Amino acid sequence: MRTKSPSAPHRCVKCGRGMRKATFDGMGPKCRAKVRRATRSPELAAYGKPHLVEKAVELLEMGAVLLLRKSSKNRVYVALSSDGTTAYRTARAACTCPAGLKAIHMCAHRIAAHALDLAS
């Protein structure tokens, strides 16, 4: 991680690089490009439900999924609900949203977490 300079008061939430201006999603241009490339990955297309993948891409574009904790085994993210009132903890393996707790189908939050993991 780079050292903080006085000319860069804003930092990328993904890599920590200094930015001149704040962005809507908190990411710098390079990290945003990596995430966009990851959303076009064939691994995400394998989920079988294209509307969920589209919803996950929309969550990522809005900046509604942020890294909460990173360990050697997994990464945990905070994902906002589509109406923006509730926050859920999510990872590739599980999510605390109602669809994730039922675990019948993959939720959009888990797909977004998978895309962020692919971008890393």
Side-chain angles (χ1 to χ4, degrees), residues 47-49 52 93-95 97-108 110-111:
Y47 283 114
K49 300 220 178 228
L52 287 177
C95 183
C97 71
L101 291 175
K102 291 178 186 174
I104 297 171
H105 299 289
M106 182 73 70
C107 68
R110 287 177 60 188
I111 296 171

Side-chain angles (χ1 to χ4, degrees), residues 16-93:
R17 283 187 178 150
M19 298 187 301
R20 291 185 182 146
K21 293 190 320 185
T23 57
F24 65 95
D25 59 357
M27 285 191 271
K30 290 183 180 182
C31 290
R32 192 176 304 112
K34 285 181 185 179
V35 170
R36 282 187 187 142
R37 252 183 271 130
T39 58
R40 294 188 299 263
S41 170
E43 287 184 40
L44 294 184
Y47 283 114
K49 300 220 178 228
H51 70 280
L52 287 177
V53 175
E54 290 173 11
K55 195 171 182 180
V57 170
E58 183 181 338
L59 285 172
L60 291 170
E61 288 175 352
M62 290 188 314
V65 182
L66 298 172
L67 183 66
L68 177 66
R69 181 182 46 204
K70 178 178 162 182
S71 68
S72 61
K73 293 184 179 182
N74 62 3
R75 293 182 177 131
V76 178
Y77 298 93
V78 173
L80 290 178
S81 62
S82 50
D83 61 358
T85 59
T86 311
Y88 303 112
R89 288 186 187 154
T90 186
R92 283 180 67 175

